Amino acid sequence: MSLHEAQASDFAPDWPAIIAVVLGVTAFSVAQGLTYPLISLSLEGRGVSAGMIGLNAMGFAAGLGAATLILGRLTRLASADKLIIASLIGCSTCLATLASTSELAIWFIARFALGFFVSMVFMLGEAWLNTACPDRLRGRVSGLYGAGMCGGFAAGPLAIPLLGTSGGLGFALLAIYIALVAFLTGLLTMGARTRPEPSSTRDLFAFFTKAPMLILMVLMFGFADIAAISAMPVYFVKTGHSQAFAALSVTALAIPTALAQPFIGVLLDRLPRRRVAISAAAVAATGYLLVPLLSSDIALLMTFAFIGAASFALYTAALTMLGEEYRGSMLVAGSAAFSLAYAAGSAAGSGATGALMNFINPVAGPIGVGVVLVVFTLAFALNGRRQSARR
């Protein structure tokens, strides 16, 4: 980095914008963490088939994809802060709709719209976070962002025993919560001095060719993360553990992951960021390879905690490196590309791990994920050496 670039990247952080983004992502993570199981349980309680519940979940994913492809065009029609507030209001409206009707067709439309608005907030929020943050604090701010995201996902399902799965109370309270967050975000943005620049679909596809290793980092995060959340509890049951232990493993994954991200952020600001990412991938790979060798429940839960923290550290590192290496419209394009990469990685992670456990052996699941992460770690390290040699 040249002296001019270093001076340009060192400025006072735009705290109103940073707080607004972290507040927004935490709120949406709570909403997602609650609505994912709550919608499924509510539909199941009304006698809806498992296939139809799966199709409803696909509606949410379709909304995410639609937002990614139209994001660039929308940023040229309105500023990012206005789009974020509009998306928060849209999400609140979707939740209020779910609370007020049981019509299945309307639930499909609301689920699609919910995915659209959630994706908008995440993508624009991440671009704004990097725009508002100087590079000297980028890792720590990304770590706080990651902690808010993880903590929200972990906290959401805890409300289900209190709110129940019928009557729409959970959706109604969430709608009010998101509406309040929209109001607070509007107040905070009045004091913000930064805004992400408009982007385009062309920028989105250009980013894939400009930053393949960042895309691969997010792809591997999605692969390892969804394997831990969706496939590994099944692995534990198949290998003789109780369903209670399988559920506990997800909690053991989520809480340490959230707590670890601010510390990962400190490392990203004090050490070479590529080395932190490589180390995180190596820890996650080692954890997966160790799982079949462990018999102690405590050892398994501790290993699972390291897997979660290290896997998510890949995303925290990728978000930090995105802001370090790119400016302007490419920040929005990069955030949109990350969304697509995570979707592809999570689809591959759940599908491949499930297939390995079904058609070979349950033990093949964690070993397969570990081997993929080992290959990625080696490729990432070799790529870093080549870049250093060119410099």
Side-chain angles (χ1 to χ4, degrees):
M1 182 182 287
S2 67
L3 178 61
H4 175 73
E5 290 174 325
Q7 291 173 338
S9 64
D10 190 13
F11 55 89
D14 186 358
W15 287 115
I18 292 170
I19 293 170
V21 170
V22 174
L23 180 67
V25 76
T26 303
F28 269 100
S29 296
V30 171
Q32 277 191 273
L34 178 56
T35 54
Y36 264 118
L38 185 56
I39 289 175
S40 297
L41 291 171
S42 297
L43 291 174
E44 194 275 336
R46 286 156 43 191
V48 177
S49 67
M52 193 63 69
I53 293 173
L55 286 175
N56 187 263
M58 288 177 63
F60 184 88
L64 294 176
T68 303
L69 295 176
I70 202 174
L71 176 66
R73 185 174 300 176
L74 289 176
T75 60
R76 296 184 178 279
L77 296 176
S79 62
D81 57 321
K82 292 179 180 178
L83 289 172
I84 288 175
I85 294 170
S87 296
L88 286 164
I89 295 171
C91 183
S92 179
T93 303
C94 291
L95 292 167
T97 301
L98 293 173
S100 61
T101 181
S102 59
E103 185 68 36
L104 188 58
I106 295 177
W107 274 48
F108 270 90
I109 296 170
R111 194 80 185 272
F112 173 87
L114 192 63
F116 181 91
F117 292 128
V118 164
S119 185
M120 291 290 293
V121 171
F122 275 111
M123 291 185 294
L124 290 169
E126 289 178 356
W128 199 0
L129 193 77
N130 270 317
T131 302
C133 182
D135 195 63
R136 58 190 165 83
L137 297 176
R138 197 178 305 282
R140 279 164 281 187
V141 169
S142 296
L144 290 174
Y145 176 87
M149 187 189 299
C150 295
F153 277 123
L158 298 178
I160 290 180
L162 299 175
L163 303 177
T165 59
S166 61
L169 178 61
F171 296 122
L173 291 177
L174 270 178
I176 296 170
Y177 173 48
I178 298 297
L180 288 174
V181 171
F183 176 73
L184 290 174
T185 301
L187 292 178
L188 286 166
T189 57
M190 291 173 64
R193 65 178 189 277
T194 59
R195 299 289 187 279
E197 293 183 18
S199 185
S200 68
T201 306
R202 183 180 301 175
D203 290 334
L204 168 62
F205 292 111
F207 188 85
F208 280 92
T209 60
K210 290 185 176 182
M213 290 310 299
L214 288 182
I215 294 296
L216 190 56
M217 286 171 66
V218 178
L219 191 78
M220 286 296 99
F221 160 61
F223 188 93
D225 181 60
I226 206 68
I229 294 171
S230 66
M232 291 307 294
V234 177
Y235 163 81
F236 289 133
V237 173
K238 284 181 175 291
T239 53
H241 293 81
S242 66
Q243 290 188 348
F245 178 85
L248 181 61
S249 70
V250 178
T251 303
L253 179 87
I255 295 176
T257 299
L259 294 175
Q261 296 318 300
F263 297 99
I264 298 295
V266 172
L267 294 177
L268 287 166
D269 282 340
R270 294 184 178 178
L271 300 174
R273 288 165 178 167
R274 183 176 291 268
R275 290 185 186 177
V276 174
I278 292 171
S279 300
V283 170
T286 303
Y288 270 110
L289 293 174
L290 281 176
V291 164
L293 305 177
L294 301 173
S295 57
S296 166
D297 287 356
I298 294 177
L300 279 170
L301 292 176
M302 290 180 64
T303 302
F304 218 49
F306 277 104
I307 286 173
S311 298
F312 202 96
L314 280 174
Y315 191 77
T316 301
L319 184 61
T320 303
M321 293 164 69
L322 169 66
E324 177 186 14
E325 298 174 17
Y326 294 93
R327 299 287 183 273
S329 64
M330 293 308 291
L331 286 177
V332 175
S335 297
F338 280 7
S339 180
L340 289 177
Y342 177 78
S346 59
S350 58
T353 310
L356 286 171
M357 290 194 295
N358 284 334
F359 297 112
I360 300 178
N361 188 284
V363 173
I367 290 178
V369 179
V371 169
V372 169
L373 287 170
V374 167
V375 172
F376 164 72
T377 303
L378 294 174
F380 196 13
L382 288 173
N383 178 265
R385 288 186 180 181
R386 287 174 188 166
Q387 288 190 348
S388 297
R390 287 173 187 169
R391 291 171 185 172

